[in-house]
Amino acid sequence: MSALSGFTPLVTVVGFHHARGPEVESWFGVDDGCDPAADNEWPLLPFMALSDGAHASTEDFSYFTLRHEATATKPATSLFGISCTRQLDASRLIDRPTDVTRSTVQKAVVVIADSPQAFGQVREKLSMVTKAWFAQRNFADVEILKKFQESLVVTLQDQDDDKDQYLGLSLRELIHEFKYQTLVLFKCCLLQPKMLFFGSRCERLCMMQFSLISLIPGLIRNLQDCADPELDNYRQTLVRPTSLKTSERNSLLSYMGLPLQIFGKGSLFGPYTPLQQLDVLADQKTRSYVVGSTNSLLLQQRDRYSDILINLDDESIQITSTSLRAVLALSVPDRRWIDFVTQSVLDTWDESNPGRPKSMGYVGSEEFIRLQFEEYLLSLMASVKYHVYLQDRTSDPRTLLADIEGDPSVDFGSEWVQAWMQTENYSIFHKFTDSHLFDIIEPRHPCAGGLTMEDVQRRVAQQVAELHLDERFTTGKEVLGKHLAEGQKKVSSALNNLWADFEVMREAQRRRHEERQAAADAGVALPEKGGKVLNTPDLTTAQASVTAASKSAGAYLSSWANWAGEKRRGGWARSPATSPTPTPAPTPVPSEKKSKLKRRSGQFSAGEGEGGLMPLRMGKRSFEEEVFSLEDVAPKSGGLKTAPESEDALDGTSQGKAEEKVDHDAEVLETGRGPVVVKVDDGKAAADDEDDAERATTAETAAGEDSVTETPAKEENGAPA
């Protein structure tokens, strides 16, 4: 206990009365009949011990500061309290007092000491003692509390005042939550503004503030003036160090002017500050403070009670002061340095044990972080001292350091340095330190240098990481996958239903077909879908029709073959290619006959050679091939089938029936589709014969001695027709 080494730690019990509210019930470690709360004017002690919202949790801790009034031998100083709050169902009490009217009983066990150094150990013991006391279910039995107070006297007296103890103050969690803004908060503390912390959990709220101020080496051991803005004992008793042992860390820190006293005259430190203490914050004598609150009413008045608001619930920082916002902008070396520290924490982060690196190494540990901030602070103070040295000796460049280029304080932010030089803690530092501190600590930023590509890449990577794209994409992938699965399920179901419908239709069609087939075999008429009756076909009648059609087709072919035979005998027949016998001259055809034939079929034309008729080629087929073709012989309306396209069969038919005579009552008509035999009367047939004979005689007379010969036509393969 550096401030009050003879102070005896106290233990008290604070309970909540349904009518009177929070009140002190008993004290341990004081004389009988003595009430420290009344002697030191601690009317707000019960409200500090029972924090707002403590009833919402099974166990909660609160940290606060108290002013200890001056005595005949000791000046006024600051005391520190820690309370453990628990609650118990009133029905479980063994001996329930008459004034307990509520369903639950809420009490807090409080420890008051003169330094927060050992609060890490005290917190663990306090938790166990309070839990055991509540487990008794008899609050009248306070023997365990008396023994606890006696053990605290021994525990706190054995503590080394020159040794920093930071048990329970996790810097790793602070940096993990605020990252580069941790340096913003650190430099903000040195400017001594009005800092307000807010959080729904009281213990976390208080520990974050202790973590922040512990970054200033030695400050936890020198908080004797933090409980009241009127206290200024540290400055009044401070003397300038005259000796230095570089091998001893405490000697070096003391010679460099540490700790920087940010809680001097006009300043206040209240880890948990109840609403009843707001009048102290609004007092004109209170120029700066670091306080915390769990009451959301302060959020509505943050412009009045804060220059900067740190909300731990949403991990945000709001700088309400415009001038402070511009000053706290980090320089490029500052950002490079804090990014390095932050990355060391992120690379070794362990969710199951946040206070220890997962690699169990030194990098990223609590001690590593503290030494990094200590190096940064020492470089800052040496650079500012050199900055002042440069201002006093601008006219003599020979006094400048050869290995230092320019003003190194620029790397820490010119505006911030100017603002810090106007604070109370800088005034103490400048007054009680040597002007040539830069001869001991090099006046250079730990990450000095301009902006490089690595800085840009690192900042871009950090900004992308802060967007939590992986988490967002993961969520998006889950939603997309869910929608795709649902869509696939719906499409599959629709296709299955459609296929099932097809199968049902196919099965129905198959059954109808089977029923119709069975009905057809049985000769029964089946009704159609619309109600009409489907008549079963008469197979006997169909067979008779087919037979009659076949006979008619046979007669037609026989007649056609006879007609073709006559034409061949009349001179259309071709001689074989190997026969040397000359072909007899055909009977000349009258011009009227030729014109008639041309008009009827379009298959003849007058010969141009010797006046005879030449066979006309229709594509690759001659006139004879075209005439003797059996294709499309029968009219479609007659129901007859087309004869097969076989020339051999045709020749055989013609030779077999060569001697048969064509009836004179039949006439062969030339059509576009081939010769058709139709019946005519006898008179017309005789008239036609006489016309033919007359035209033939006229053609012979006109021809004279010239004869019309017909060039034998050959088939494509060279065989005689």
PDB file of all heavy atoms in Angstrom, residues 166 171 174-175 182 186 210-220 369-370 373-374 377:
ATOM      1  N   TYR A 166      -1.738  -7.487 -12.438  1.00  0.00           N
ATOM      2  CA  TYR A 166      -2.831  -7.197 -13.373  1.00  0.00           C
ATOM      3  C   TYR A 166      -3.781  -8.389 -13.516  1.00  0.00           C
ATOM      4  O   TYR A 166      -4.401  -8.576 -14.542  1.00  0.00           O
ATOM      5  CB  TYR A 166      -2.259  -6.845 -14.745  1.00  0.00           C
ATOM      6  CG  TYR A 166      -1.263  -5.721 -14.703  1.00  0.00           C
ATOM      7  CD1 TYR A 166       0.088  -5.973 -14.891  1.00  0.00           C
ATOM      8  CD2 TYR A 166      -1.667  -4.418 -14.468  1.00  0.00           C
ATOM      9  CE1 TYR A 166       1.012  -4.949 -14.862  1.00  0.00           C
ATOM     10  CE2 TYR A 166      -0.754  -3.386 -14.435  1.00  0.00           C
ATOM     11  CZ  TYR A 166       0.592  -3.656 -14.626  1.00  0.00           C
ATOM     12  OH  TYR A 166       1.506  -2.636 -14.594  1.00  0.00           O
ATOM     13  N   LEU A 171      -6.040  -7.428 -21.371  1.00  0.00           N
ATOM     14  CA  LEU A 171      -5.760  -6.534 -22.490  1.00  0.00           C
ATOM     15  C   LEU A 171      -6.048  -7.202 -23.828  1.00  0.00           C
ATOM     16  O   LEU A 171      -6.373  -6.527 -24.809  1.00  0.00           O
ATOM     17  CB  LEU A 171      -4.292  -6.094 -22.444  1.00  0.00           C
ATOM     18  CG  LEU A 171      -3.883  -5.185 -21.283  1.00  0.00           C
ATOM     19  CD1 LEU A 171      -2.400  -4.887 -21.360  1.00  0.00           C
ATOM     20  CD2 LEU A 171      -4.688  -3.909 -21.295  1.00  0.00           C
ATOM     21  N   LEU A 174      -9.547  -6.500 -24.694  1.00  0.00           N
ATOM     22  CA  LEU A 174      -9.701  -5.099 -25.071  1.00  0.00           C
ATOM     23  C   LEU A 174      -9.275  -4.867 -26.517  1.00  0.00           C
ATOM     24  O   LEU A 174      -9.990  -4.220 -27.301  1.00  0.00           O
ATOM     25  CB  LEU A 174      -8.880  -4.224 -24.119  1.00  0.00           C
ATOM     26  CG  LEU A 174      -8.859  -2.722 -24.420  1.00  0.00           C
ATOM     27  CD1 LEU A 174     -10.251  -2.120 -24.269  1.00  0.00           C
ATOM     28  CD2 LEU A 174      -7.863  -2.006 -23.517  1.00  0.00           C
ATOM     29  N   ILE A 175      -8.124  -5.405 -26.900  1.00  0.00           N
ATOM     30  CA  ILE A 175      -7.625  -5.213 -28.262  1.00  0.00           C
ATOM     31  C   ILE A 175      -8.447  -6.027 -29.254  1.00  0.00           C
ATOM     32  O   ILE A 175      -8.705  -5.575 -30.383  1.00  0.00           O
ATOM     33  CB  ILE A 175      -6.137  -5.586 -28.334  1.00  0.00           C
ATOM     34  CG1 ILE A 175      -5.317  -4.599 -27.489  1.00  0.00           C
ATOM     35  CG2 ILE A 175      -5.644  -5.595 -29.775  1.00  0.00           C
ATOM     36  CD1 ILE A 175      -3.842  -4.876 -27.470  1.00  0.00           C
ATOM     37  N   THR A 182      -8.135   0.806 -29.936  1.00  0.00           N
ATOM     38  CA  THR A 182      -7.513   0.735 -28.612  1.00  0.00           C
ATOM     39  C   THR A 182      -6.482   1.851 -28.452  1.00  0.00           C
ATOM     40  O   THR A 182      -6.383   2.472 -27.382  1.00  0.00           O
ATOM     41  CB  THR A 182      -6.848  -0.629 -28.415  1.00  0.00           C
ATOM     42  OG1 THR A 182      -7.805  -1.665 -28.643  1.00  0.00           O
ATOM     43  CG2 THR A 182      -6.305  -0.767 -27.000  1.00  0.00           C
ATOM     44  N   PHE A 186      -6.325   4.962 -25.802  1.00  0.00           N
ATOM     45  CA  PHE A 186      -5.128   5.205 -24.997  1.00  0.00           C
ATOM     46  C   PHE A 186      -4.666   6.666 -25.115  1.00  0.00           C
ATOM     47  O   PHE A 186      -4.382   7.324 -24.103  1.00  0.00           O
ATOM     48  CB  PHE A 186      -4.025   4.251 -25.445  1.00  0.00           C
ATOM     49  CG  PHE A 186      -2.713   4.460 -24.747  1.00  0.00           C
ATOM     50  CD1 PHE A 186      -2.546   4.080 -23.434  1.00  0.00           C
ATOM     51  CD2 PHE A 186      -1.645   5.054 -25.409  1.00  0.00           C
ATOM     52  CE1 PHE A 186      -1.340   4.278 -22.783  1.00  0.00           C
ATOM     53  CE2 PHE A 186      -0.438   5.246 -24.779  1.00  0.00           C
ATOM     54  CZ  PHE A 186      -0.284   4.865 -23.453  1.00  0.00           C
ATOM     55  N   PHE A 210     -10.123  -0.503 -16.016  1.00  0.00           N
ATOM     56  CA  PHE A 210      -8.854  -0.836 -15.368  1.00  0.00           C
ATOM     57  C   PHE A 210      -7.831  -1.302 -16.405  1.00  0.00           C
ATOM     58  O   PHE A 210      -6.631  -0.995 -16.285  1.00  0.00           O
ATOM     59  CB  PHE A 210      -9.070  -1.918 -14.313  1.00  0.00           C
ATOM     60  CG  PHE A 210      -9.506  -1.385 -12.976  1.00  0.00           C
ATOM     61  CD1 PHE A 210     -10.779  -1.616 -12.499  1.00  0.00           C
ATOM     62  CD2 PHE A 210      -8.635  -0.646 -12.192  1.00  0.00           C
ATOM     63  CE1 PHE A 210     -11.186  -1.123 -11.271  1.00  0.00           C
ATOM     64  CE2 PHE A 210      -9.028  -0.143 -10.959  1.00  0.00           C
ATOM     65  CZ  PHE A 210     -10.309  -0.382 -10.492  1.00  0.00           C
ATOM     66  N   SER A 211      -8.271  -2.040 -17.404  1.00  0.00           N
ATOM     67  CA  SER A 211      -7.349  -2.488 -18.453  1.00  0.00           C
ATOM     68  C   SER A 211      -6.757  -1.304 -19.206  1.00  0.00           C
ATOM     69  O   SER A 211      -5.561  -1.288 -19.524  1.00  0.00           O
ATOM     70  CB  SER A 211      -8.078  -3.413 -19.434  1.00  0.00           C
ATOM     71  OG  SER A 211      -8.558  -4.562 -18.781  1.00  0.00           O
ATOM     72  N   LEU A 212      -7.584  -0.309 -19.478  1.00  0.00           N
ATOM     73  CA  LEU A 212      -7.116   0.841 -20.243  1.00  0.00           C
ATOM     74  C   LEU A 212      -6.099   1.670 -19.460  1.00  0.00           C
ATOM     75  O   LEU A 212      -5.035   2.024 -19.997  1.00  0.00           O
ATOM     76  CB  LEU A 212      -8.308   1.702 -20.639  1.00  0.00           C
ATOM     77  CG  LEU A 212      -8.013   2.912 -21.517  1.00  0.00           C
ATOM     78  CD1 LEU A 212      -7.389   2.482 -22.837  1.00  0.00           C
ATOM     79  CD2 LEU A 212      -9.273   3.730 -21.758  1.00  0.00           C
ATOM     80  N   ILE A 213      -6.395   1.967 -18.218  1.00  0.00           N
ATOM     81  CA  ILE A 213      -5.466   2.811 -17.446  1.00  0.00           C
ATOM     82  C   ILE A 213      -4.220   2.030 -17.032  1.00  0.00           C
ATOM     83  O   ILE A 213      -3.178   2.640 -16.730  1.00  0.00           O
ATOM     84  CB  ILE A 213      -6.154   3.413 -16.207  1.00  0.00           C
ATOM     85  CG1 ILE A 213      -6.529   2.327 -15.217  1.00  0.00           C
ATOM     86  CG2 ILE A 213      -7.381   4.219 -16.617  1.00  0.00           C
ATOM     87  CD1 ILE A 213      -7.081   2.870 -13.902  1.00  0.00           C
ATOM     88  N   SER A 214      -4.301   0.691 -17.045  1.00  0.00           N
ATOM     89  CA  SER A 214      -3.107  -0.084 -16.701  1.00  0.00           C
ATOM     90  C   SER A 214      -2.068  -0.048 -17.805  1.00  0.00           C
ATOM     91  O   SER A 214      -0.924  -0.486 -17.595  1.00  0.00           O
ATOM     92  CB  SER A 214      -3.498  -1.535 -16.405  1.00  0.00           C
ATOM     93  OG  SER A 214      -3.949  -2.183 -17.585  1.00  0.00           O
ATOM     94  N   LEU A 215      -2.422   0.441 -19.007  1.00  0.00           N
ATOM     95  CA  LEU A 215      -1.445   0.576 -20.087  1.00  0.00           C
ATOM     96  C   LEU A 215      -0.420   1.661 -19.793  1.00  0.00           C
ATOM     97  O   LEU A 215       0.633   1.707 -20.436  1.00  0.00           O
ATOM     98  CB  LEU A 215      -2.163   0.884 -21.404  1.00  0.00           C
ATOM     99  CG  LEU A 215      -3.037  -0.241 -21.968  1.00  0.00           C
ATOM    100  CD1 LEU A 215      -3.783   0.231 -23.208  1.00  0.00           C
ATOM    101  CD2 LEU A 215      -2.187  -1.468 -22.276  1.00  0.00           C
ATOM    102  N   ILE A 216      -0.723   2.546 -18.844  1.00  0.00           N
ATOM    103  CA  ILE A 216       0.261   3.545 -18.391  1.00  0.00           C
ATOM    104  C   ILE A 216       1.041   2.914 -17.244  1.00  0.00           C
ATOM    105  O   ILE A 216       0.481   2.648 -16.173  1.00  0.00           O
ATOM    106  CB  ILE A 216      -0.428   4.829 -17.918  1.00  0.00           C
ATOM    107  CG1 ILE A 216      -1.268   5.411 -19.066  1.00  0.00           C
ATOM    108  CG2 ILE A 216       0.592   5.846 -17.429  1.00  0.00           C
ATOM    109  CD1 ILE A 216      -2.059   6.643 -18.668  1.00  0.00           C
ATOM    110  N   PRO A 217       2.302   2.606 -17.452  1.00  0.00           N
ATOM    111  CA  PRO A 217       3.071   1.890 -16.421  1.00  0.00           C
ATOM    112  C   PRO A 217       3.073   2.627 -15.084  1.00  0.00           C
ATOM    113  O   PRO A 217       3.315   3.827 -15.016  1.00  0.00           O
ATOM    114  CB  PRO A 217       4.483   1.825 -17.012  1.00  0.00           C
ATOM    115  CG  PRO A 217       4.289   1.957 -18.482  1.00  0.00           C
ATOM    116  CD  PRO A 217       3.118   2.873 -18.654  1.00  0.00           C
ATOM    117  N   GLY A 218       2.763   1.887 -14.010  1.00  0.00           N
ATOM    118  CA  GLY A 218       2.810   2.419 -12.650  1.00  0.00           C
ATOM    119  C   GLY A 218       1.579   3.178 -12.217  1.00  0.00           C
ATOM    120  O   GLY A 218       1.507   3.589 -11.050  1.00  0.00           O
ATOM    121  N   LEU A 219       0.587   3.381 -13.080  1.00  0.00           N
ATOM    122  CA  LEU A 219      -0.558   4.200 -12.704  1.00  0.00           C
ATOM    123  C   LEU A 219      -1.455   3.486 -11.693  1.00  0.00           C
ATOM    124  O   LEU A 219      -2.043   4.142 -10.816  1.00  0.00           O
ATOM    125  CB  LEU A 219      -1.359   4.582 -13.946  1.00  0.00           C
ATOM    126  CG  LEU A 219      -2.543   5.521 -13.723  1.00  0.00           C
ATOM    127  CD1 LEU A 219      -2.084   6.835 -13.069  1.00  0.00           C
ATOM    128  CD2 LEU A 219      -3.282   5.790 -15.030  1.00  0.00           C
ATOM    129  N   ILE A 220      -1.584   2.151 -11.790  1.00  0.00           N
ATOM    130  CA  ILE A 220      -2.437   1.418 -10.849  1.00  0.00           C
ATOM    131  C   ILE A 220      -1.938   1.596  -9.416  1.00  0.00           C
ATOM    132  O   ILE A 220      -2.736   1.643  -8.463  1.00  0.00           O
ATOM    133  CB  ILE A 220      -2.466  -0.080 -11.227  1.00  0.00           C
ATOM    134  CG1 ILE A 220      -3.163  -0.273 -12.575  1.00  0.00           C
ATOM    135  CG2 ILE A 220      -3.176  -0.905 -10.158  1.00  0.00           C
ATOM    136  CD1 ILE A 220      -4.636   0.036 -12.558  1.00  0.00           C
ATOM    137  N   ILE A 369       1.823  -7.305 -24.794  1.00  0.00           N
ATOM    138  CA  ILE A 369       1.051  -6.100 -25.107  1.00  0.00           C
ATOM    139  C   ILE A 369       1.481  -4.942 -24.211  1.00  0.00           C
ATOM    140  O   ILE A 369       1.639  -3.798 -24.676  1.00  0.00           O
ATOM    141  CB  ILE A 369      -0.449  -6.395 -24.954  1.00  0.00           C
ATOM    142  CG1 ILE A 369      -0.885  -7.460 -25.965  1.00  0.00           C
ATOM    143  CG2 ILE A 369      -1.267  -5.126 -25.156  1.00  0.00           C
ATOM    144  CD1 ILE A 369      -2.302  -7.944 -25.775  1.00  0.00           C
ATOM    145  N   ARG A 370       1.681  -5.205 -22.939  1.00  0.00           N
ATOM    146  CA  ARG A 370       2.070  -4.122 -22.019  1.00  0.00           C
ATOM    147  C   ARG A 370       3.435  -3.549 -22.378  1.00  0.00           C
ATOM    148  O   ARG A 370       3.638  -2.329 -22.343  1.00  0.00           O
ATOM    149  CB  ARG A 370       2.085  -4.647 -20.585  1.00  0.00           C
ATOM    150  CG  ARG A 370       0.704  -5.050 -20.083  1.00  0.00           C
ATOM    151  CD  ARG A 370       0.720  -5.378 -18.595  1.00  0.00           C
ATOM    152  NE  ARG A 370      -0.559  -5.932 -18.196  1.00  0.00           N
ATOM    153  CZ  ARG A 370      -1.638  -5.212 -17.943  1.00  0.00           C
ATOM    154  NH1 ARG A 370      -1.589  -3.894 -18.048  1.00  0.00           N
ATOM    155  NH2 ARG A 370      -2.767  -5.800 -17.589  1.00  0.00           N
ATOM    156  N   PHE A 373       3.118  -1.249 -25.447  1.00  0.00           N
ATOM    157  CA  PHE A 373       2.602   0.073 -25.099  1.00  0.00           C
ATOM    158  C   PHE A 373       3.610   0.870 -24.264  1.00  0.00           C
ATOM    159  O   PHE A 373       3.679   2.105 -24.388  1.00  0.00           O
ATOM    160  CB  PHE A 373       1.279  -0.063 -24.336  1.00  0.00           C
ATOM    161  CG  PHE A 373       0.072  -0.162 -25.229  1.00  0.00           C
ATOM    162  CD1 PHE A 373      -0.385  -1.393 -25.672  1.00  0.00           C
ATOM    163  CD2 PHE A 373      -0.599   0.981 -25.643  1.00  0.00           C
ATOM    164  CE1 PHE A 373      -1.489  -1.487 -26.502  1.00  0.00           C
ATOM    165  CE2 PHE A 373      -1.700   0.910 -26.468  1.00  0.00           C
ATOM    166  CZ  PHE A 373      -2.152  -0.333 -26.911  1.00  0.00           C
ATOM    167  N   GLU A 374       4.363   0.200 -23.467  1.00  0.00           N
ATOM    168  CA  GLU A 374       5.393   0.899 -22.699  1.00  0.00           C
ATOM    169  C   GLU A 374       6.466   1.471 -23.620  1.00  0.00           C
ATOM    170  O   GLU A 374       6.895   2.625 -23.446  1.00  0.00           O
ATOM    171  CB  GLU A 374       6.021  -0.077 -21.693  1.00  0.00           C
ATOM    172  CG  GLU A 374       7.095   0.558 -20.821  1.00  0.00           C
ATOM    173  CD  GLU A 374       7.653  -0.421 -19.813  1.00  0.00           C
ATOM    174  OE1 GLU A 374       6.848  -1.048 -19.100  1.00  0.00           O
ATOM    175  OE2 GLU A 374       8.898  -0.559 -19.743  1.00  0.00           O
ATOM    176  N   LEU A 377       4.989   4.501 -25.389  1.00  0.00           N
ATOM    177  CA  LEU A 377       4.872   5.680 -24.528  1.00  0.00           C
ATOM    178  C   LEU A 377       6.232   6.319 -24.258  1.00  0.00           C
ATOM    179  O   LEU A 377       6.368   7.556 -24.257  1.00  0.00           O
ATOM    180  CB  LEU A 377       4.199   5.286 -23.216  1.00  0.00           C
ATOM    181  CG  LEU A 377       3.819   6.420 -22.271  1.00  0.00           C
ATOM    182  CD1 LEU A 377       2.906   7.430 -22.962  1.00  0.00           C
ATOM    183  CD2 LEU A 377       3.140   5.876 -21.016  1.00  0.00           C
TER     184      LEU A 377
END
